[in-house]
Amino acid sequence: MEDLSLFLNRRTVRAYSDREVTTETIQELMEAASRTSTTGNMQLYSVVVTRKNETKEALAPLHFNQPVVKNAPVVLTFCADFNRFTSWCKLRNANPGYGNFQGFFTAALDALIAAQTFCVAAEARGLGICYIGTTTYNTKGIAKLLKLPNLVVPVTTITLGYPASLPDQVDRLPVSAIIHEEEYADYTTDELDTCYLNKELNAANQQFVKDNEKETLAQVFTDVRYPKAMFEKFSVEFMEAIQEQGYNF
Amino acid sequence: MEDLSLFLNRRTVRAYSDREVTTETIQELMEAASRTSTTGNMQLYSVVVTRKNETKEALAPLHFNQPVVKNAPVVLTFCADFNRFTSWCKLRNANPGYGNFQGFFTAALDALIAAQTFCVAAEARGLGICYIGTTTYNTKGIAKLLKLPNLVVPVTTITLGYPASLPDQVDRLPVSAIIHEEEYADYTTDELDTCYLNKELNAANQQFVKDNEKETLAQVFTDVRYPKAMFEKFSVEFMEAIQEQGYNF
């Protein structure tokens, strides 16, 4: 593993073969993921495993019918979960106080970093994954479908399977754009031009600009993919969902 | 990597040797981490690298003087960062709208899963890491010290170095307690007893109960380590910090 090629060669996989992902495989990957650090070793997360076609059919519209949700052998919904820990505290004559914003974020952090370890472990085993970012958009619907109780909030979703084919790697920013030494050095115009250069020159990205009849790639993001009105709408709905699950803020 | 031993054998490392962690090593690990999936491939995160003793001395009290912050060769503060992307959008005649709760959480997700890939890559290279969970407590002070601009919020901190020694592995819940098939099955009293059994029988944990003069391990968490009043105080302060950094909700 010294050479980091597992990390450097990875790509998101959206097309899966028919090869079954067994329950034992999921358990082994989760065993690996469960060694991830968590806040105070509280392990404030759970994962709901979806295999049944009928549940995938019900999940799909909550993820804007992204085909990968129905096509993947397994869909995993990772949840911030202070329910299990809180229930244990109550059973042990202790007074838990985690139904607040810090409680939510702490559990979300635990869930997200465990999810990512799960993904790396899956890739180490030759599986492919795709993150489904829409989990924080239709959160109430997902919570209802998966019967999530108080203090359990879905924060990300992963589709999992053996790759049918490997797509090309997509662009990334140079790491020099991500690392700040000692303190944050805000970006000059020249630095922004440099760090987004490859992204803007990328043929697929240039095609997006053309297809959407935009002047710049940035406009594809702000006008088409992630517009302000959409982010504002899903801000309100995500906050409502978190509060309905018992985290008050 | 097929056998997942890297994942299964890991432990948090708080004692580091004198061996230097070079700038090249950090860049290579960040290169590996930068292949992590992010929302729309926007890469909404940055990392501030602390090596100077004076910065570590200034960071330490913001992390409640946990010794590992001063003792580690390198401290990495991972930040949710919509600043770089927003600046690029403005430069490209686009209208970004990410100063809201969804914007914050989206960038936090990107930062956290990239941080975790960084950790796994570091461990693959023989380094050791420790997560510092206090980043969401004194967030304002950390943002000020590291000169974080608008739309940049620190969400987690990692200490990094070559291990001086490997501690024993600590307890984990059985994975059966974490995985739910098709829908969330809430925990019965018997299930809670079973899933927390090893944690409660653990000698170090039993010593914590005795040292703190508590009846149960759960009370050590709720009365000493993570009391309700502390979570409520840091809920308010963390929300204020996020809003001061320009994410309004």
Side-chain angles (χ1 to χ4, degrees), chain A residues 185-229:
Chain A
D186 208 352
Y187 301 87
T188 64
T189 299
D190 279 356
E191 285 168 346
L192 289 169
D193 283 340
T194 305
C195 87
Y196 286 96
L197 184 68
N198 281 335
K199 188 181 279 291
E200 292 177 316
L201 290 178
N202 180 286
N205 288 341
Q206 292 196 343
Q207 195 58 45
F208 284 137
V209 178
K210 212 172 275 179
D211 291 348
N212 287 287
E213 299 180 347
K214 294 293 166 190
E215 298 164 9
T216 65
L217 180 62
Q219 289 178 355
V220 177
F221 283 96
T222 60
D223 298 355
V224 183
R225 298 190 63 188
Y226 303 103
K228 183 174 182 172

Side-chain angles (χ1 to χ4, degrees), chain A residues 153-200:
Chain A
V153 179
V155 289
T156 198
T157 302
I158 290 156
T159 60
L160 180 72
Y162 291 92
S165 59
L166 276 185
D168 290 339
Q169 270 198 321
V170 295
D171 65 277
R172 287 292 190 269
L173 303 177
V175 290
S176 59
I178 293 164
I179 299 174
H180 299 260
E181 300 288 347
E182 299 299 327
E183 56 188 43
Y184 194 102
D186 208 352
Y187 301 87
T188 64
T189 299
D190 279 356
E191 285 168 346
L192 289 169
D193 283 340
T194 305
C195 87
Y196 286 96
L197 184 68
N198 281 335
K199 188 181 279 291
E200 292 177 316

Side-chain angles (χ1 to χ4, degrees), chain A residues 1-2 4 7-8 10 12 30-32 34-37 40-43 45-52 55 81 83-85 87-89 91-98 100-105 109 112-113 116-117 121 124-125 131 136-137 146-147 149 152 155 169-173 175 177-180 182-184 186-187 189 192-193 196 199-200 215-216 218-219 221-222 225-226 228 231-232 234-235 238-239 242 249, chain B residues 1-2 6-8 10 12 30-32 34-37 40-43 45-52 55 81 83-85 87-89 91-98 100-105 109 112-113 116-117 121 124-125 131 136-137 146-147 149 152 155 169-173 175 177-180 182-184 186-187 189 192-193 196 199-200 215-216 218-219 221-222 225-226 228 231-232 234-235 238-239 242 249:
Chain A
M1 268 288 289
E2 281 281 306
L4 304 182
F7 302 88
L8 295 169
R10 78 164 295 276
T12 287
M30 204 62 234
E31 189 87 40
S34 77
R35 280 281 148 207
T36 309
S37 298
N41 197 19
M42 290 187 281
Q43 295 185 258
Y45 62 89
S46 281
V47 57
V48 183
V49 180
T50 304
R51 290 175 175 280
K52 286 186 185 161
T55 321
D81 184 348
N83 167 58
R84 183 177 54 237
F85 192 82
S87 300
W88 173 63
C89 287
L91 202 61
R92 295 294 186 263
N93 199 27
N95 180 31
Y98 307 116
N100 43 52
F101 185 66
Q102 192 69 232
F104 164 69
F105 194 82
L109 184 152
L112 291 169
I113 64 176
Q116 179 54 17
T117 313
R125 275 286 183 84
Y131 270 94
T136 61
Y137 298 169
L146 302 181
K147 298 206 164 62
V152 183
V155 289
Q169 270 198 321
V170 295
D171 65 277
R172 287 292 190 269
L173 303 177
V175 290
I178 293 164
I179 299 174
H180 299 260
E182 299 299 327
E183 56 188 43
Y184 194 102
D186 208 352
Y187 301 87
T189 299
L192 289 169
D193 283 340
Y196 286 96
K199 188 181 279 291
E200 292 177 316
E215 298 164 9
T216 65
Q219 289 178 355
F221 283 96
T222 60
R225 298 190 63 188
Y226 303 103
K228 183 174 182 172
F231 258 59
E232 287 177 350
F234 290 130
S235 286
F238 187 38
M239 280 200 289
I242 297 167
F249 59 97
Chain B
M1 268 288 289
E2 280 283 304
L6 171 71
F7 302 88
L8 295 168
R10 79 165 294 276
T12 288
M30 204 62 233
E31 189 87 39
S34 77
R35 281 280 147 208
T36 309
S37 298
N41 197 19
M42 292 188 281
Q43 295 185 257
Y45 61 89
S46 281
V47 57
V48 183
V49 180
T50 305
R51 289 175 177 281
K52 287 187 186 162
T55 322
D81 185 347
N83 167 58
R84 184 177 52 236
F85 192 83
S87 300
W88 172 64
C89 288
L91 202 61
R92 296 294 187 261
N93 200 26
N95 180 33
Y98 308 116
N100 43 50
F101 185 67
Q102 192 70 232
F104 165 69
F105 194 82
L109 184 151
L112 291 169
I113 65 177
Q116 180 54 18
T117 312
R125 274 286 183 85
Y131 271 93
T136 60
Y137 297 170
L146 303 181
K147 298 206 165 59
V152 183
V155 290
Q169 270 197 320
V170 296
D171 65 276
R172 287 291 190 270
L173 301 177
V175 289
I178 292 165
I179 299 174
H180 298 260
E182 300 300 327
E183 58 188 43
Y184 194 102
D186 208 352
Y187 302 87
T189 300
L192 290 169
D193 283 339
Y196 287 95
K199 188 181 279 291
E200 293 176 316
E215 296 163 11
T216 66
Q219 289 177 355
F221 284 95
T222 59
R225 298 190 65 189
Y226 303 103
K228 182 174 183 172
F231 257 58
E232 288 177 351
F234 290 130
S235 286
F238 186 39
M239 280 199 290
I242 297 166
F249 58 96

Side-chain angles (χ1 to χ4, degrees), chain B residues 3 22 25 64 76 78 86 89 97 114 164 177 191 214 226 228:
Chain B
D3 70 352
T22 66
T25 298
F64 302 101
L76 301 145
F78 279 82
T86 292
C89 288
E191 285 167 346
K214 295 294 167 191
Y226 303 103
K228 182 174 183 172

